[in-house]
Amino acid sequence: MDLHIELKHYRNDLLELTQREAAIRLNINQSINYENGTRDIPYKMLLTFKEVYKIPTHEMNRIMYGGESVSPRNSHNPIILRENFEDEENREILKILQDHPKFKRTLSALTYFTEKRKEKFISQVNHLYQTMKDW
């Protein structure tokens, strides 16, 4: 299978990420589409895919150089890959909260908001994030 097809398979079928979600995690513009096969993927970007998608080394080698997967099935199991991916994100989120206690208190205060107020707050935070991420 071609490299771009394999990466799309990991993103879409195993991790269940949209292209937008993947672009955010990969820290690239969504219009930079490596999955259509029309653009060469730089080596540094391949390492980023491996790290962000949590692709095991033996699987990344298979993806890059072809051949059959000779690894245990569990390392390629979609549920395990998704869990590892989410666990890593959760660890990073917890680290941010530990490093920024005021932010943690702000988010903790959300537990006392009504659902309508929570939705409005989250909407505003998302809007702020979208505005600031391009700085």
Side-chain angles (χ1 to χ4, degrees), residues 10 14 54-59 69-78 80-81 84:
Y10 258 83
L14 299 179
K54 306 295 180 221
I55 301 173
T57 300
H58 59 275
E59 280 298 314
S69 180
V70 293
S71 64
R73 287 187 64 105
N74 282 348
S75 67
H76 195 63
N77 183 319
I80 291 172
L81 286 172
N84 289 341

Side-chain angles (χ1 to χ4, degrees), residues 10-102:
Y10 258 83
R11 175 194 56 79
N12 195 39
D13 300 333
L14 299 179
L15 300 175
E16 298 179 351
L17 295 173
T18 65
Q19 284 184 330
R20 183 175 183 273
E21 291 170 324
I24 290 169
R25 286 169 171 78
L26 293 164
N27 198 26
I28 60 173
N29 189 312
Q30 187 177 350
S31 65
I32 301 174
N33 187 349
Y34 292 113
E35 293 178 358
N36 60 17
T38 59
R39 162 180 292 224
D40 287 335
I41 305 172
Y43 181 73
K44 187 174 180 180
M45 193 68 222
L46 288 172
L47 294 176
T48 302
F49 274 107
K50 181 185 181 313
E51 181 182 326
V52 170
Y53 286 7
K54 306 295 180 221
I55 301 173
T57 300
H58 59 275
E59 280 298 314
M60 192 65 183
N61 288 337
R62 182 192 61 77
I63 289 168
M64 290 173 58
Y65 304 114
E68 294 295 317
S69 180
V70 293
S71 64
R73 287 187 64 105
N74 282 348
S75 67
H76 195 63
N77 183 319
I79 293 170
I80 291 172
L81 286 172
R82 262 193 306 277
E83 286 175 357
N84 289 341
F85 186 77
E86 290 171 0
D87 287 348
E88 180 67 26
E89 284 185 333
N90 288 338
R91 280 191 294 276
E92 288 298 317
I93 290 167
L94 288 173
K95 183 178 180 327
I96 290 169
L97 293 176
Q98 289 170 348
D99 292 345
H100 302 279
K102 286 183 181 180

